[in-house]
Amino acid sequence: NLAPTTSTLKKGEVTAGIYVVGVGVTDDFMVAVSPWFNHFYNMNNAIIKTKLYSDDSKSLGLQTAYFKSNNKADLFEADSYYQMEASISNLIMTNKINPLYTVSSNISYHYYFDETVPFSVRRESFNENPYQLNFSSFHEISLEDNLSLGLEVGVLGLNYLYPQLITGASFNYKGKKWQMQLGLSFTGTINGYMSDDSIDNNKALNGYTSQDKDKGRLDFSAHPEIQLQYYF
């Protein structure tokens, strides 16, 4: 989620699935929306991605997304948990190291116009900055023709009081016309990773983010990564 690749749909190609519905406008430019965020987070959203440069072994890309929730958060109503508006931009460099290993490195800038109750990658920063800076990398390792292993590692909130480590692993199966990915990712402070007393600080106060710095120092959360996509 935090470290996309530079891959884009070809002109006229369409994908539809749990995670994204998108179309290739040109071979190097695509637009999309995410049913996942619309359904599970009740957020209107739009995503564009373009390749800025590519050759046989590396490519440079830019992805920009916008999210705005339809909820008016209420402290005592779990079904209106999220309330946020944000823009998220990623500068992406993908390098094909060899036929079996590809790495995509991301520098991302998030700006939160509203973060009353934000989604999982906006942890409490303990400062007044409406933005956050992240660095992340996605490592794709080919296991056989259609199966690959994905590993993600990075730093979430470089400008936070307590920057967080993000790690993840997923298995990806690609058929001729469809793709399935199952995985799990984790975000947390170093203390949160190592302590038995870790807590999901974004839900520490009746579903709301706690301002308690002791809880923030022990912040830790886990997130499923599920994708099922078809291509036309």
Side-chain angles (χ1 to χ4, degrees):
N1 282 345
L2 198 63
T5 72
T6 56
S7 297
T8 55
L9 297 169
K10 298 296 184 183
K11 181 178 180 179
E13 186 178 16
V14 176
T15 185
I18 296 172
Y19 202 69
V20 69
V21 174
V23 60
V25 180
T26 71
D27 285 350
D28 296 322
F29 179 79
M30 64 175 287
V31 296
V33 296
S34 173
W36 176 275
F37 279 96
N38 186 271
H39 179 75
F40 290 102
Y41 291 83
N42 198 16
M43 287 185 194
N44 297 328
N45 62 88
I47 307 107
I48 61 173
K49 181 158 64 168
T50 184
K51 278 183 190 166
L52 304 173
Y53 169 84
S54 64
D55 61 26
D56 291 340
S57 62
K58 60 182 177 293
S59 55
L60 181 69
L62 178 67
Q63 177 175 294
T64 299
Y66 173 77
F67 301 91
K68 182 175 174 58
S69 61
N70 295 307
N71 296 326
K72 183 68 174 178
D74 187 309
L75 183 61
F76 303 105
E77 293 183 13
D79 62 349
S80 58
Y81 175 65
Y82 298 101
Q83 181 183 329
M84 60 161 276
E85 181 181 6
S87 65
I88 296 177
S89 296
N90 290 62
L91 183 65
I92 315 159
M93 173 65 79
T94 295
N95 286 279
K96 187 174 183 179
I97 307 301
N98 58 51
L100 301 180
Y101 174 49
T102 301
V103 58
S104 294
S105 301
N106 279 250
I107 297 172
S108 60
Y109 176 84
H110 298 192
Y111 190 91
Y112 292 84
F113 306 96
D114 177 6
E115 54 174 319
T116 304
V117 187
F119 62 3
S120 55
V121 297
R122 176 59 169 175
R123 317 306 294 178
E124 176 55 48
S125 64
F126 295 103
N127 59 44
E128 298 301 318
N129 296 332
Y131 66 90
Q132 79 182 52
L133 300 171
N134 316 295
F135 174 78
S136 54
S137 59
F138 179 71
H139 306 259
E140 186 175 12
I141 302 165
S142 178
L143 301 177
E144 54 182 59
D145 288 346
N146 296 320
L147 185 65
S148 64
L149 171 66
L151 301 173
E152 186 176 31
V153 63
V155 180
L156 187 72
L158 288 163
N159 59 313
Y160 286 6
L161 177 62
Y162 307 121
Q164 301 211 358
L165 177 67
I166 180 168
T167 58
S170 60
F171 285 98
N172 193 323
Y173 180 86
K174 297 178 182 178
K176 289 184 178 180
K177 290 292 184 179
W178 66 285
Q179 171 185 357
M180 180 177 67
Q181 179 173 310
L182 298 173
L184 193 64
S185 67
F186 305 93
T187 57
T189 63
I190 297 299
N191 288 335
Y193 269 84
M194 299 179 66
S195 175
D196 293 333
D197 297 322
S198 62
I199 184 171
D200 186 343
N201 192 55
N202 272 28
K203 299 182 181 180
L205 180 63
N206 293 332
Y208 275 59
T209 303
S210 171
Q211 300 298 310
D212 185 329
K213 289 185 179 180
D214 288 333
K215 287 185 172 65
R217 191 178 290 111
L218 294 172
D219 190 25
F220 181 81
S221 59
H223 320 283
E225 310 287 354
I226 302 169
Q227 294 188 36
L228 180 61
Q229 294 290 139
Y230 290 89
Y231 297 87
F232 308 92

